[in-house]
Amino acid sequence: MRVIVFGATGVLGRELVPLLLRQGHTVVAPVRSPEKARALADAGVELHTGDLLSPETQAQLPELMAGCQAAVHIATAIPRDFGAPGAWEANTRLRTDGTQALLDAALAAGVERYVQQSIVMAYVDGGDRLLDESTLLDTSPERASVCRPVIEMEGMVRAVPPERLAWCILRGGSFQGPGTAQDGTIERLRAGTERVPCDGNYYISPVHPADMASAVALALDHAPGGSIFNVNDEPIRQGDYLDRLAALVGVPLPERDPSRPCPPSFRCSSAAAREVLGWAPSHSI
């Protein structure tokens, strides 16, 4: 299969592209800097220069996608400083403007399959309840900056008739493992500055990027058109996760900070992905 991957140089792309190549797929990857993606070219990836957010690249998308049987949108722009003014603007545009441009081009080019990365962290706060794909996404004003672009993105994908483009949305858990935000967490644990908000009893649903990549590959092969799947390892309470990470690193357990409010709790089930896609995590977080 000829697959075009947007986001090939990111945390997930660095796991996905080699996997697709090993499976015998031909991979096309638009990248902003071919010089920085030389390893992809050396591995046999067909590189093209382009920025998904530029009008010039968007105009070229149907041509870039010509001959591709599948398209994968895993491009993100996660900021280093979450709280900086405008920090999330590029990521929001990738999820909205970028998604619509890719969908339009995929339809114009006759692409057959489309996989869209989404996140389980856009669900409503579930407390201790197990959340499946029927759970509502959070439309509250308090979480609009995080959830509204995800809701808009998924709405764009779901508006496409699956018989015209066999789409699949993969709601991934929070990336944990080397090369993810976990690296910063370990640094703070070692420095003794990591604090657990409230009592730490809220859930996170983590996933290793390599396991997310395997879900994308499985979805490309045989996900039903118009399907949505959670993709995460076993949920764990944030306090337990940080305690176990501290123990592995060999540093004191982080203190709880009851003055900080508890973040939303995402105890998500990936049972559907296991049953329908045959997916299962195999990498430790």
Side-chain angles (χ1 to χ4, degrees):
M1 189 187 306
R2 184 174 174 86
V3 184
I4 187 166
V5 177
F6 294 86
T9 60
V11 171
L12 177 54
R14 292 195 294 270
E15 299 285 354
L16 176 62
V17 169
L19 175 59
L20 295 179
L21 293 173
R22 290 195 300 271
Q23 293 179 344
H25 298 292
T26 298
V27 178
V28 181
V31 296
R32 287 184 296 176
S33 174
E35 293 77 16
K36 295 181 179 180
R38 187 167 298 173
L40 292 178
D42 293 343
V45 176
E46 183 181 315
L47 295 184
H48 294 272
T49 303
D51 182 344
L52 183 54
L53 296 181
S54 76
E56 294 79 12
T57 297
Q58 291 181 5
Q60 296 169 358
L61 287 177
E63 181 180 350
L64 286 175
M65 291 187 178
C68 293
Q69 288 75 47
V72 177
H73 183 3
I74 56 172
T76 58
I78 307 301
R80 291 181 180 274
D81 182 358
F82 289 2
W88 291 94
E89 181 180 350
N91 196 62
T92 294
R93 290 186 60 209
L94 283 170
R95 283 179 169 157
T96 53
D97 299 346
T99 295
Q100 190 62 65
L102 290 187
L103 290 170
D104 292 343
L107 291 168
V111 172
E112 300 167 9
R113 303 187 68 82
Y114 178 92
V115 177
Q116 175 70 57
Q117 179 190 6
S118 187
I119 55 173
V120 300
M121 291 78 75
Y123 282 133
V124 295
D125 185 344
D128 288 352
R129 179 167 58 93
L130 201 60
L131 309 180
D132 64 15
E133 292 81 359
S134 68
T135 304
L136 295 177
L137 300 183
D138 195 338
T139 60
S140 67
E142 294 78 14
R143 299 190 64 224
S145 61
V146 173
C147 300
R148 185 176 297 161
V150 176
I151 294 170
E152 186 175 344
M153 173 188 73
E154 290 200 8
M156 293 173 178
V157 177
R158 297 171 75 164
V160 178
E163 60 270 19
R164 292 191 61 198
L165 179 64
W167 55 263
C168 175
I169 296 172
L170 298 179
R171 293 172 177 163
S174 57
F175 284 167
Q176 304 294 342
T180 71
Q182 187 180 77
D183 292 343
T185 302
I186 290 174
E187 289 181 7
R188 293 190 298 275
L189 286 169
R190 285 177 169 153
T193 58
E194 183 71 15
R195 297 291 183 272
V196 184
C198 63
D199 56 8
N201 283 335
Y202 58 95
Y203 279 92
I204 62 169
S205 287
V207 68
H208 192 287
D211 289 327
M212 184 69 186
S214 70
V216 174
L218 287 167
L220 282 172
D221 281 342
H222 60 266
S227 55
I228 301 175
F229 298 102
N230 292 341
V231 180
N232 57 267
D233 208 320
E234 289 301 316
I236 184 172
R237 296 186 190 275
Q238 174 74 344
D240 293 341
Y241 162 71
L242 290 173
D243 287 350
R244 287 166 60 177
L245 195 59
L248 287 170
V249 176
V251 298
L253 304 186
E255 296 180 3
R256 274 53 175 169
D257 185 352
S259 68
R260 294 173 59 187
C262 283
S265 180
F266 306 115
R267 186 188 179 200
C268 300
S269 168
S270 58
R274 294 170 186 259
E275 179 179 351
V276 178
L277 298 181
W279 175 82
S282 61
H283 294 74
S284 172
I285 62 163

